[in-house]
Amino acid sequence: MFLATTLSFENIHSHGELFANLLRARHRTFIVRKNWDLSQANGMEFDQYDTPASRWVAVHDDMGEVYAGVRLTPTTHKCGIYTYMIRDAQRGLIESIPSNLLYEQAPVASHIWESSRVFVTSEVTSKMRFRVQMQLISEMVRTARECGAASILGLIPENSPRLARRVGLDCQPAGPALKVAGEDIRCVTISMSTKMH
């Protein structure tokens, strides 16, 4: 049985090791398995966008083992020179992501949130994968709506829009298909106004 929990700096203390386990699962996924060159400490992956402004969705079991996750950040967020990942990539602040990732200027609006660091761990079997993805997507949508988002801007694997459409989400390309760290990715806009199946 999988559970879905949204973490914030306000409720992190209520969930034991769950936040640390999420960062550990990100470490296993992005640094160990995908070999990405990212910030890490004590077996956890993190970056400058893991701030009190963000929310983190974790799909996990009742022991706190994390199987999937995503980070949500308001596009209005600013901390020093940083805002949010997609906008900072467009501004040339992130070497590993091309600056031409969007067709238009990156938005700064309270009703638009960014999703980043989307993952499903390799421990999830192909039989369970769709169910885990569904839980992750539905909790992400619920949380985004609760935070006042009308849409989400995300940098996702290029085949993911098919999954979004399959569950009834309106997912539109917001930028060209790109290859980053050996993966085919693209920016998309996901509308929060549609009902999921």
Side-chain angles (χ1 to χ4, degrees):
M1 176 65 185
F2 293 113
L3 307 164
T5 301
T6 296
L7 296 163
S8 68
F9 270 51
E10 285 87 8
N11 73 6
I12 224 166
H13 64 282
S14 309
H15 295 282
E17 286 273 298
L18 192 59
F19 185 63
N21 288 345
L22 175 78
L23 299 182
R24 289 181 185 114
R26 277 174 33 177
H27 184 276
R28 288 195 314 274
T29 301
F30 297 117
I31 294 175
V32 176
R33 188 160 58 96
K34 297 188 174 188
N35 205 27
W36 289 7
D37 182 20
L38 301 172
S39 304
Q40 58 179 308
N42 305 319
M44 292 180 261
E45 182 273 312
F46 61 93
D47 66 20
Q48 64 270 36
Y49 305 105
D50 291 305
T51 75
S54 291
R55 303 288 183 275
W56 298 265
V57 175
V59 176
H60 57 96
D61 63 20
D62 55 6
M63 301 298 289
E65 179 73 20
V66 175
Y67 296 100
V70 63
R71 175 178 60 205
L72 294 168
T73 304
T75 60
T76 53
H77 179 62
K78 196 172 190 320
C79 182
I81 64 166
Y82 297 107
T83 59
Y84 62 95
M85 186 185 286
I86 291 171
R87 183 165 184 255
D88 289 350
Q90 189 180 59
R91 294 164 65 215
L93 296 177
I94 304 174
E95 284 177 24
S96 57
I97 304 173
S99 60
N100 65 334
L101 75 170
L102 286 174
Y103 293 135
E104 296 175 8
Q105 194 75 23
V108 175
S110 59
H111 68 282
I112 304 172
W113 281 55
E114 176 196 55
S115 76
S116 57
R117 284 296 191 272
V118 186
F119 71 91
V120 176
T121 67
S122 56
E123 289 87 3
V124 175
T125 63
S126 52
K127 199 171 92 173
M128 305 296 293
R129 197 170 177 86
F130 183 68
R131 211 171 87 209
V132 169
Q133 288 171 324
M134 279 293 297
Q135 275 195 275
L136 184 65
I137 291 168
S138 60
E139 182 70 6
M140 178 188 79
V141 168
R142 189 195 67 74
T143 299
R145 284 178 178 154
E146 212 171 74
C147 291
S151 68
I152 291 175
L153 182 65
L155 186 59
I156 61 174
E158 209 200 344
N159 60 358
S160 298
R162 284 201 305 273
L163 174 68
R165 286 192 292 274
R166 190 170 157 194
V167 300
L169 285 179
D170 180 20
C171 185
Q172 300 296 328
L178 300 166
K179 199 172 268 300
V180 174
E183 294 201 14
D184 295 316
I185 61 161
R186 130 175 284 157
C187 277
V188 295
T189 300
I190 303 168
S191 170
M192 297 291 98
S193 59
T194 49
K195 289 267 190 289
M196 289 181 63
H197 299 325

Coordinates of all heavy atoms in Angstrom, one line a residue, residues 109-189:
A109 N 4.4 34.6 -11.5 CA 3.0 34.8 -11.1 C 2.5 33.9 -10.0 O 2.9 32.7 -10.0 CB 2.1 34.6 -12.4
S110 N 1.7 34.4 -9.1 CA 1.3 33.7 -7.9 C 0.5 32.4 -8.3 O 0.4 31.5 -7.5 CB 0.6 34.6 -6.9 OG -0.6 35.1 -7.6
H111 N -0.2 32.5 -9.5 CA -1.0 31.3 -9.9 C -0.3 30.3 -10.7 O -0.9 29.3 -11.1 CB -2.3 31.8 -10.6 CG -1.9 32.4 -12.0 ND1 -1.4 33.7 -12.1 CD2 -2.0 31.9 -13.2 CE1 -1.2 33.9 -13.4 NE2 -1.6 32.8 -14.1
I112 N 1.0 30.5 -10.9 CA 1.8 29.5 -11.6 C 2.9 29.0 -10.6 O 3.7 29.7 -10.1 CB 2.5 30.1 -12.9 CG1 1.4 30.7 -13.8 CG2 3.3 29.0 -13.6 CD1 2.0 31.4 -15.0
W113 N 3.0 27.7 -10.5 CA 4.0 27.0 -9.7 C 4.9 26.1 -10.6 O 4.4 25.7 -11.7 CB 3.4 26.2 -8.6 CG 3.0 27.0 -7.4 CD1 2.1 28.0 -7.4 CD2 3.3 26.8 -6.0 NE1 1.9 28.5 -6.1 CE2 2.7 27.8 -5.2 CE3 4.2 25.9 -5.4 CZ2 2.8 27.9 -3.9 CZ3 4.3 26.0 -4.0 CH2 3.7 27.0 -3.2
E114 N 6.1 25.9 -10.2 CA 7.0 25.0 -10.9 C 7.1 23.6 -10.3 O 7.1 23.5 -9.1 CB 8.4 25.6 -10.9 CG 9.4 24.7 -11.6 CD 10.9 25.1 -11.3 OE1 11.2 25.1 -10.1 OE2 11.6 25.3 -12.3
S115 N 7.1 22.6 -11.1 CA 7.4 21.3 -10.6 C 8.8 20.9 -11.1 O 9.2 21.1 -12.2 CB 6.4 20.2 -11.0 OG 6.6 19.9 -12.4
S116 N 9.6 20.3 -10.2 CA 11.0 19.9 -10.5 C 11.3 18.7 -9.7 O 10.6 18.3 -8.8 CB 12.0 21.0 -10.3 OG 11.9 21.5 -9.0
R117 N 12.5 18.1 -10.0 CA 13.0 16.9 -9.3 C 11.9 15.8 -9.3 O 11.7 15.1 -8.2 CB 13.5 17.2 -7.9 CG 14.8 17.9 -7.9 CD 15.9 17.1 -8.4 NE 17.2 17.6 -8.1 CZ 17.9 18.5 -9.0 NH1 17.3 18.8 -10.1 NH2 19.1 18.9 -8.6
V118 N 11.2 15.5 -10.4 CA 10.2 14.4 -10.5 C 11.0 13.1 -10.6 O 11.9 13.0 -11.4 CB 9.3 14.6 -11.7 CG1 8.2 13.6 -11.7 CG2 8.7 16.0 -11.7
F119 N 10.6 12.1 -9.8 CA 11.3 10.8 -9.9 C 10.4 9.7 -9.5 O 9.4 9.9 -8.7 CB 12.6 10.8 -9.1 CG 12.4 10.8 -7.6 CD1 12.3 9.6 -6.9 CD2 12.2 12.0 -6.9 CE1 12.0 9.5 -5.6 CE2 12.0 11.9 -5.5 CZ 11.9 10.7 -4.8
V120 N 10.6 8.5 -10.0 CA 10.1 7.3 -9.5 C 11.3 6.4 -9.3 O 12.1 6.2 -10.2 CB 9.1 6.6 -10.4 CG1 8.6 5.3 -9.9 CG2 7.9 7.5 -10.7
T121 N 11.5 5.8 -8.1 CA 12.7 5.0 -7.9 C 12.7 3.7 -8.7 O 11.7 3.2 -9.1 CB 12.9 4.7 -6.4 OG1 11.9 3.8 -6.0 CG2 12.9 5.9 -5.5
S122 N 13.9 3.1 -8.8 CA 14.1 1.9 -9.5 C 13.5 0.7 -8.8 O 13.3 -0.4 -9.3 CB 15.5 1.6 -9.9 OG 16.3 1.6 -8.7
E123 N 13.2 0.9 -7.5 CA 12.6 -0.2 -6.7 C 11.1 -0.4 -7.1 O 10.5 -1.4 -6.7 CB 12.6 0.1 -5.2 CG 14.0 0.1 -4.6 CD 14.8 1.4 -4.7 OE1 14.3 2.4 -5.2 OE2 16.0 1.3 -4.3
V124 N 10.5 0.5 -7.8 CA 9.1 0.4 -8.2 C 9.1 -0.5 -9.4 O 9.7 -0.2 -10.4 CB 8.5 1.8 -8.5 CG1 7.0 1.6 -9.0 CG2 8.5 2.7 -7.3
T125 N 8.3 -1.6 -9.3 CA 8.2 -2.6 -10.4 C 7.4 -2.0 -11.5 O 6.5 -1.1 -11.3 CB 7.6 -3.9 -9.9 OG1 6.3 -3.7 -9.5 CG2 8.4 -4.5 -8.8
S126 N 7.5 -2.5 -12.7 CA 6.7 -2.0 -13.8 C 5.3 -2.2 -13.6 O 4.4 -1.4 -14.0 CB 7.2 -2.7 -15.1 OG 7.1 -4.1 -15.0
K127 N 4.9 -3.3 -12.8 CA 3.5 -3.6 -12.5 C 2.9 -2.5 -11.6 O 1.7 -2.1 -11.7 CB 3.4 -4.9 -11.8 CG 2.0 -5.5 -11.8 CD 2.0 -7.0 -11.3 CE 1.8 -7.0 -9.8 NZ 1.6 -8.3 -9.3
M128 N 3.8 -1.9 -10.7 CA 3.3 -0.9 -9.7 C 3.5 0.5 -10.3 O 2.9 1.5 -9.7 CB 4.1 -1.0 -8.4 CG 4.1 -2.4 -7.8 SD 2.5 -2.9 -7.3 CE 2.2 -1.7 -6.0
R129 N 4.2 0.7 -11.3 CA 4.6 2.0 -11.8 C 3.5 3.0 -12.0 O 3.5 4.1 -11.5 CB 5.5 1.9 -13.0 CG 6.3 3.1 -13.3 CD 7.4 2.9 -14.4 NE 8.1 4.1 -14.6 CZ 9.2 4.5 -14.0 NH1 9.7 3.8 -13.0 NH2 9.7 5.7 -14.3
F130 N 2.5 2.5 -12.8 CA 1.4 3.4 -13.1 C 0.6 3.9 -11.8 O 0.3 5.0 -11.7 CB 0.4 2.7 -14.1 CG -0.7 3.6 -14.5 CD1 -0.5 4.7 -15.3 CD2 -2.0 3.4 -14.1 CE1 -1.5 5.6 -15.7 CE2 -3.1 4.2 -14.5 CZ -2.8 5.3 -15.3
R131 N 0.4 2.9 -10.9 CA -0.3 3.3 -9.7 C 0.5 4.3 -8.9 O -0.1 5.3 -8.3 CB -0.6 2.1 -8.8 CG -1.8 2.2 -8.0 CD -2.3 1.0 -7.3 NE -1.6 0.9 -6.0 CZ -1.3 -0.3 -5.5 NH1 -1.5 -1.4 -6.0 NH2 -0.7 -0.3 -4.3
V132 N 1.8 4.1 -8.8 CA 2.7 5.1 -8.1 C 2.7 6.5 -8.8 O 2.5 7.5 -8.1 CB 4.1 4.6 -8.0 CG1 5.1 5.6 -7.5 CG2 4.2 3.4 -7.0
Q133 N 2.8 6.5 -10.1 CA 2.7 7.7 -10.9 C 1.4 8.4 -10.7 O 1.3 9.6 -10.5 CB 2.9 7.4 -12.4 CG 4.4 7.1 -12.7 CD 4.5 6.6 -14.1 OE1 3.6 5.9 -14.7 NE2 5.6 6.9 -14.8
M134 N 0.3 7.7 -10.7 CA -1.1 8.2 -10.5 C -1.1 8.9 -9.1 O -1.7 10.0 -9.0 CB -2.1 7.1 -10.5 CG -2.5 6.8 -11.9 SD -3.4 8.1 -12.8 CE -4.8 8.3 -11.8
Q135 N -0.6 8.2 -8.1 CA -0.7 8.8 -6.7 C 0.2 10.1 -6.6 O -0.2 11.1 -6.0 CB -0.2 7.8 -5.7 CG -1.3 6.9 -5.2 CD -0.9 6.2 -4.0 OE1 -0.3 5.1 -4.0 NE2 -1.3 6.7 -2.8
L136 N 1.3 10.1 -7.3 CA 2.2 11.2 -7.3 C 1.5 12.4 -8.0 O 1.5 13.5 -7.5 CB 3.5 10.9 -8.0 CG 4.6 12.0 -8.0 CD1 5.1 12.3 -6.6 CD2 5.8 11.6 -8.9
I137 N 1.0 12.1 -9.2 CA 0.3 13.2 -10.0 C -0.9 13.8 -9.2 O -1.1 15.0 -9.1 CB -0.1 12.7 -11.4 CG1 1.2 12.4 -12.2 CG2 -1.0 13.7 -12.1 CD1 0.9 11.7 -13.5
S138 N -1.7 12.9 -8.7 CA -3.0 13.4 -8.0 C -2.6 14.2 -6.8 O -3.3 15.2 -6.5 CB -4.0 12.3 -7.7 OG -3.4 11.3 -6.9
E139 N -1.6 13.8 -6.0 CA -1.2 14.5 -4.8 C -0.6 15.9 -5.2 O -0.8 16.9 -4.6 CB -0.3 13.7 -3.9 CG 0.1 14.4 -2.7 CD -0.9 14.6 -1.6 OE1 -2.1 14.1 -1.8 OE2 -0.7 15.2 -0.6
M140 N 0.2 15.8 -6.3 CA 0.8 17.1 -6.8 C -0.3 18.1 -7.2 O -0.2 19.3 -6.9 CB 1.7 16.8 -8.0 CG 2.4 18.0 -8.6 SD 3.2 17.6 -10.2 CE 1.8 17.5 -11.3
V141 N -1.3 17.6 -7.9 CA -2.4 18.5 -8.4 C -3.1 19.0 -7.2 O -3.4 20.2 -7.1 CB -3.3 17.7 -9.4 CG1 -4.6 18.5 -9.6 CG2 -2.6 17.5 -10.7
R142 N -3.5 18.1 -6.2 CA -4.2 18.6 -5.0 C -3.4 19.7 -4.3 O -4.0 20.7 -3.9 CB -4.4 17.4 -4.1 CG -5.4 17.6 -2.9 CD -5.3 16.6 -1.9 NE -4.0 16.5 -1.2 CZ -3.6 17.4 -0.3 NH1 -4.4 18.4 0.0 NH2 -2.4 17.3 0.3
T143 N -2.1 19.4 -4.1 CA -1.3 20.4 -3.4 C -1.2 21.7 -4.1 O -1.3 22.8 -3.5 CB 0.1 19.8 -3.1 OG1 0.0 18.6 -2.4 CG2 1.0 20.8 -2.4
A144 N -0.9 21.6 -5.4 CA -0.8 22.8 -6.2 C -2.1 23.7 -6.2 O -2.0 24.9 -6.0 CB -0.5 22.5 -7.7
R145 N -3.2 23.0 -6.3 CA -4.5 23.8 -6.2 C -4.6 24.4 -4.8 O -5.1 25.5 -4.7 CB -5.7 22.8 -6.5 CG -5.8 22.4 -7.9 CD -7.0 21.5 -8.1 NE -7.2 21.1 -9.5 CZ -7.8 20.0 -9.9 NH1 -8.1 19.1 -9.0 NH2 -7.9 19.8 -11.2
E146 N -4.3 23.6 -3.8 CA -4.4 24.2 -2.4 C -3.5 25.4 -2.2 O -3.8 26.3 -1.4 CB -3.9 23.1 -1.5 CG -4.6 23.1 -0.1 CD -4.2 21.8 0.7 OE1 -3.1 21.7 1.2 OE2 -5.1 20.9 0.8
C147 N -2.3 25.4 -2.9 CA -1.4 26.6 -2.9 C -1.8 27.7 -3.8 O -1.1 28.7 -3.9 CB 0.0 26.1 -3.2 SG 0.7 25.0 -2.0
G148 N -3.0 27.6 -4.5 CA -3.5 28.6 -5.3 C -3.0 28.6 -6.8 O -3.2 29.5 -7.5
A149 N -2.4 27.5 -7.2 CA -1.9 27.4 -8.6 C -3.0 27.0 -9.5 O -3.8 26.2 -9.3 CB -0.8 26.3 -8.6
A150 N -3.0 27.8 -10.6 CA -4.0 27.5 -11.7 C -3.2 26.6 -12.8 O -3.9 25.9 -13.6 CB -4.5 28.8 -12.4
S151 N -1.9 26.7 -12.8 CA -1.1 25.9 -13.7 C 0.3 25.6 -13.1 O 0.7 26.3 -12.2 CB -1.0 26.5 -15.1 OG -0.2 27.7 -15.0
I152 N 0.9 24.5 -13.6 CA 2.2 24.1 -13.2 C 3.1 24.2 -14.4 O 2.7 23.7 -15.5 CB 2.2 22.7 -12.6 CG1 1.5 22.7 -11.3 CG2 3.6 22.2 -12.5 CD1 1.3 21.3 -10.7
L153 N 4.3 24.7 -14.3 CA 5.3 24.7 -15.3 C 6.3 23.7 -14.9 O 6.9 23.7 -13.8 CB 6.0 26.1 -15.4 CG 7.1 26.3 -16.5 CD1 6.5 26.1 -17.9 CD2 7.7 27.6 -16.3
G154 N 6.6 22.7 -15.7 CA 7.5 21.6 -15.3 C 8.5 21.2 -16.4 O 8.2 21.3 -17.6
L155 N 9.6 20.8 -16.0 CA 10.7 20.2 -16.9 C 10.6 18.7 -16.6 O 11.0 18.2 -15.6 CB 12.0 20.8 -16.5 CG 13.2 20.5 -17.4 CD1 13.0 21.0 -18.8 CD2 14.5 21.2 -16.9
I156 N 10.1 18.0 -17.6 CA 9.8 16.6 -17.4 C 10.4 15.7 -18.6 O 10.6 16.3 -19.7 CB 8.3 16.3 -17.2 CG1 7.5 16.8 -18.5 CG2 7.8 17.1 -16.0 CD1 6.1 16.4 -18.5
P157 N 10.5 14.4 -18.4 CA 10.9 13.5 -19.5 C 9.9 13.7 -20.7 O 8.7 13.9 -20.4 CB 10.8 12.1 -18.9 CG 11.0 12.3 -17.4 CD 10.4 13.7 -17.1
E158 N 10.4 13.7 -21.9 CA 9.6 14.0 -23.0 C 8.4 13.1 -23.2 O 7.4 13.5 -23.8 CB 10.4 14.0 -24.3 CG 9.9 15.0 -25.3 CD 10.4 14.7 -26.7 OE1 11.3 13.9 -26.9 OE2 9.7 15.2 -27.7
N159 N 8.4 11.9 -22.7 CA 7.3 11.0 -22.9 C 6.2 11.2 -21.8 O 5.1 10.6 -21.9 CB 7.7 9.5 -22.9 CG 8.4 9.1 -21.6 OD1 8.6 9.9 -20.7 ND2 8.8 7.9 -21.5
S160 N 6.5 12.0 -20.8 CA 5.5 12.2 -19.7 C 4.2 12.8 -20.1 O 3.2 12.5 -19.5 CB 6.2 13.0 -18.6 OG 7.3 12.3 -18.0
P161 N 4.2 13.8 -21.1 CA 2.8 14.3 -21.4 C 1.8 13.3 -21.8 O 0.6 13.5 -21.5 CB 3.2 15.3 -22.6 CG 4.6 15.7 -22.3 CD 5.2 14.5 -21.7
R162 N 2.2 12.2 -22.4 CA 1.3 11.1 -22.7 C 0.6 10.6 -21.4 O -0.6 10.3 -21.4 CB 2.0 10.0 -23.4 CG 2.3 10.3 -24.9 CD 2.5 9.0 -25.7 NE 3.6 8.1 -25.1 CZ 4.9 8.2 -25.4 NH1 5.3 9.2 -26.2 NH2 5.8 7.4 -24.9
L163 N 1.4 10.4 -20.4 CA 0.9 9.9 -19.1 C -0.1 10.9 -18.5 O -1.2 10.6 -18.1 CB 2.0 9.7 -18.1 CG 1.6 9.3 -16.7 CD1 0.9 7.9 -16.7 CD2 2.8 9.3 -15.7
A164 N 0.3 12.2 -18.6 CA -0.6 13.3 -18.1 C -2.0 13.3 -18.8 O -3.0 13.3 -18.2 CB 0.1 14.6 -18.2
R165 N -1.9 13.2 -20.1 CA -3.2 13.1 -20.9 C -4.0 11.9 -20.6 O -5.2 11.9 -20.5 CB -2.8 13.2 -22.4 CG -2.4 14.6 -22.9 CD -2.4 14.7 -24.4 NE -1.4 13.9 -25.0 CZ -0.1 14.4 -25.2 NH1 0.3 15.6 -24.7 NH2 0.8 13.6 -25.7
R166 N -3.3 10.8 -20.3 CA -3.9 9.5 -20.0 C -4.8 9.6 -18.7 O -5.8 9.0 -18.6 CB -2.9 8.4 -19.9 CG -3.4 7.0 -19.8 CD -2.2 6.0 -19.9 NE -2.6 4.8 -19.2 CZ -1.8 3.8 -18.9 NH1 -0.5 4.0 -19.2 NH2 -2.2 2.7 -18.4
V167 N -4.3 10.4 -17.8 CA -5.1 10.6 -16.5 C -6.0 11.9 -16.6 O -6.5 12.2 -15.6 CB -4.1 10.7 -15.3 CG1 -3.3 9.4 -15.2 CG2 -3.2 11.9 -15.4
G168 N -6.1 12.5 -17.8 CA -7.0 13.6 -17.9 C -6.5 15.0 -17.7 O -7.2 15.9 -17.6
L169 N -5.2 15.1 -17.5 CA -4.6 16.4 -17.3 C -4.3 17.1 -18.7 O -3.8 16.5 -19.6 CB -3.3 16.4 -16.5 CG -3.4 16.1 -15.0 CD1 -2.0 16.0 -14.4 CD2 -4.2 17.2 -14.3
D170 N -4.5 18.4 -18.8 CA -4.2 19.2 -20.0 C -2.8 19.6 -19.9 O -2.4 20.4 -19.1 CB -5.2 20.4 -20.0 CG -4.8 21.3 -21.3 OD1 -4.2 20.7 -22.2 OD2 -5.2 22.4 -21.3
C171 N -1.9 19.0 -20.7 CA -0.5 19.2 -20.6 C 0.0 19.6 -22.0 O -0.1 18.9 -23.0 CB 0.2 17.8 -20.2 SG 1.9 17.9 -20.0
Q172 N 0.5 20.9 -22.0 CA 0.9 21.5 -23.3 C 2.4 21.8 -23.3 O 2.9 22.2 -22.3 CB 0.2 22.8 -23.5 CG -1.4 22.7 -23.6 CD -1.8 21.8 -24.8 OE1 -1.2 21.8 -25.8 NE2 -2.9 21.1 -24.5
P173 N 3.1 21.5 -24.5 CA 4.5 21.9 -24.6 C 4.7 23.4 -24.3 O 4.0 24.2 -24.8 CB 4.9 21.5 -26.0 CG 3.8 20.6 -26.5 CD 2.6 21.0 -25.7
A174 N 5.7 23.7 -23.5 CA 6.1 25.1 -23.2 C 7.4 25.5 -23.8 O 7.9 26.6 -23.6 CB 6.0 25.4 -21.7
G175 N 8.1 24.4 -24.4 CA 9.4 24.6 -24.9 C 9.8 23.5 -25.8 O 9.1 22.5 -25.9
P176 N 10.9 23.6 -26.5 CA 11.4 22.5 -27.4 C 11.9 21.3 -26.7 O 12.2 21.3 -25.5 CB 12.5 23.2 -28.1 CG 13.1 24.1 -27.2 CD 11.9 24.7 -26.4
A177 N 11.8 20.1 -27.4 CA 12.4 18.9 -26.8 C 14.0 19.1 -26.8 O 14.6 19.6 -27.7 CB 12.1 17.7 -27.7
L178 N 14.5 18.8 -25.6 CA 16.0 19.0 -25.4 C 16.6 17.7 -24.9 O 15.9 16.8 -24.3 CB 16.2 20.1 -24.4 CG 15.7 21.5 -24.7 CD1 15.7 22.3 -23.5 CD2 16.5 22.1 -25.8
K179 N 17.9 17.6 -25.0 CA 18.6 16.5 -24.4 C 19.5 17.0 -23.3 O 20.3 17.9 -23.5 CB 19.5 15.7 -25.4 CG 19.9 14.3 -24.9 CD 20.6 13.5 -26.0 CE 19.7 12.6 -26.8 NZ 18.9 11.6 -26.1
V180 N 19.2 16.6 -22.1 CA 20.0 17.1 -20.9 C 20.4 15.9 -20.1 O 19.6 15.0 -19.8 CB 19.1 18.0 -20.0 CG1 19.8 18.4 -18.7 CG2 18.7 19.3 -20.8
A181 N 21.7 15.8 -19.8 CA 22.3 14.7 -19.1 C 21.9 13.4 -19.7 O 21.6 12.4 -19.0 CB 21.9 14.8 -17.6
G182 N 21.8 13.3 -21.0 CA 21.5 12.1 -21.7 C 20.0 11.7 -21.8 O 19.7 10.7 -22.3
E183 N 19.2 12.6 -21.3 CA 17.7 12.4 -21.3 C 17.0 13.3 -22.2 O 17.3 14.5 -22.3 CB 17.2 12.5 -19.9 CG 17.7 11.4 -18.9 CD 16.8 11.2 -17.7 OE1 15.7 11.7 -17.7 OE2 17.3 10.6 -16.8
D184 N 15.9 12.8 -22.8 CA 15.1 13.7 -23.6 C 14.0 14.3 -22.7 O 13.2 13.6 -22.1 CB 14.3 12.9 -24.7 CG 15.3 12.3 -25.7 OD1 16.2 13.0 -26.1 OD2 15.2 11.1 -26.0
I185 N 14.1 15.7 -22.6 CA 13.2 16.4 -21.7 C 12.5 17.5 -22.4 O 12.9 17.9 -23.5 CB 13.9 16.9 -20.5 CG1 15.0 17.9 -20.9 CG2 14.5 15.8 -19.6 CD1 15.5 18.8 -19.8
R186 N 11.5 18.1 -21.8 CA 10.8 19.3 -22.4 C 10.1 20.0 -21.3 O 9.6 19.4 -20.3 CB 10.0 18.8 -23.5 CG 8.6 19.3 -23.5 CD 7.8 18.8 -24.8 NE 8.3 19.6 -25.9 CZ 8.2 19.2 -27.2 NH1 7.7 18.0 -27.5 NH2 8.5 20.0 -28.2
C187 N 9.9 21.3 -21.4 CA 9.1 22.1 -20.5 C 7.6 22.0 -20.9 O 7.4 22.0 -22.1 CB 9.5 23.5 -20.5 SG 10.9 23.9 -19.4
V188 N 6.8 21.8 -20.0 CA 5.3 21.7 -20.3 C 4.6 22.6 -19.3 O 5.1 22.9 -18.2 CB 4.8 20.3 -20.2 CG1 5.4 19.4 -21.2 CG2 5.0 19.7 -18.8
T189 N 3.4 23.0 -19.7 CA 2.4 23.7 -18.8 C 1.3 22.7 -18.6 O 0.7 22.2 -19.5 CB 1.9 25.0 -19.4 OG1 3.0 25.8 -19.7 CG2 0.9 25.7 -18.5

